[in-house]
């Protein structure tokens, strides 16, 4: 099946400053490793950027830009969004359909919001999903730390079967981007 890599909201306003997301630097390194492998296999790499006027994530503002250490390359695709759902009122589904994508690998920020919502929506739309289990992150919250939230999302999302398509949560070292 044709695969695409979705990199959700790895933006300066969300990664720079305090509090830092859990394992922020490691997550960026893991995402860079995934995107490098994807590009080598001509897998589409799609950056999704959240925006909100009048905020640090205002379109084209410094905070809206990709995190300073994330690597993008010629040929990468960019999608703008305004909700936690990367498919809602965006060109993402149309873009994936143009590439014949049936499977998405998802990583990025924030585990319990935009990553969770996008994974669920992708499955609801019929895409099989691989959640890069160690390449998504969030900030500590009063009720749980970022590590616990990531673990919760990995366990919860991988156990959803009602959509039909499979959702798997696996570490980046086990993601092969095989066209099966």
């Amino acid at each position: 099946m044709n695969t695409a890599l979705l990199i959700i909201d790895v933006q300066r306003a969300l990664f720079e400053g305090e509090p830092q997301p859990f394992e922020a630097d490691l997550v960026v390194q893991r995402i860079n490793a995934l995107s490098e492998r994807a590009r080598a296999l001509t897998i589409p790499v799609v950056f999704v950027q959240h925006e909100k006027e009048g905020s640090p994530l205002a379109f084209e503002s410094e905070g809206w830009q990709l995190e300073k250490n994330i690597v993008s390359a010629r040929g990468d695709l960019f999608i703008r969004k305004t909700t936690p759902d990367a498919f809602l009122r965006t060109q993402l589904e149309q873009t994936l359909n143009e590439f014949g994508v049936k499977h998405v690998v998802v990583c990025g920020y924030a585990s319990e919001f935009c990553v969770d919502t996008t994974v669920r929506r992708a499955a609801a739309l019929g895409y099989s999903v691989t959640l890069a289990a160690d390449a998504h992150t969030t900030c500590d919250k009063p009720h749980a730390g970022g590590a616990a939230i990531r673990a919760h999302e990995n366990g919860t999302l991988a156990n959803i079967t009602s959509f039909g398509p499979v959702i798997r949560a696996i570490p980046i070292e086990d993601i092969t981007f095989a066209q099966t």
Side-chain angles (χ1 to χ4, degrees), residues 132-161:
D134 53 353
H136 65 94
T137 188
T138 194
C139 295
D140 291 347
K141 305 294 188 289
H143 67 281
I149 294 169
R150 179 164 71 190
H152 171 81
E153 292 296 325
N154 288 339
T156 300
L157 292 171
N159 281 299
I160 297 174
T161 59

Side-chain angles (χ1 to χ4, degrees), residues 15 18-19 37 44 68 84 100 114-115 123 132 147 154 157 162 164 171 174 180:
F15 276 72
E18 296 300 324
R37 289 178 11 219
K68 66 182 181 277
C114 300
V115 170
N154 288 339
L157 292 171
S162 58
D174 295 332
T180 57

Side-chain angles (χ1 to χ4, degrees), residues 2-4 42 44 46 75 77 94-102:
N2 291 332
T3 299
T42 65
V46 182
L77 306 166
Q94 178 182 335
T95 299
L96 296 177
N97 288 340
E98 288 171 5
F99 282 92
V101 170
K102 303 293 182 201

Side-chain angles (χ1 to χ4, degrees), residues 54-99:
S55 81
L57 289 172
F59 177 61
E60 293 187 330
S61 69
E62 184 67 23
W64 180 84
Q65 303 300 321
L66 295 178
E67 192 273 347
K68 66 182 181 277
N69 293 310
I70 201 78
V71 175
S72 64
R74 175 184 242 163
D76 289 348
L77 306 166
F78 295 86
I79 301 287
R80 297 165 49 193
K81 70 177 181 63
T82 59
T83 74
D85 181 348
F87 291 93
L88 183 62
R89 296 187 298 271
T90 73
Q91 296 299 310
L92 181 57
E93 185 176 12
Q94 178 182 335
T95 299
L96 296 177
N97 288 340
E98 288 171 5
F99 282 92

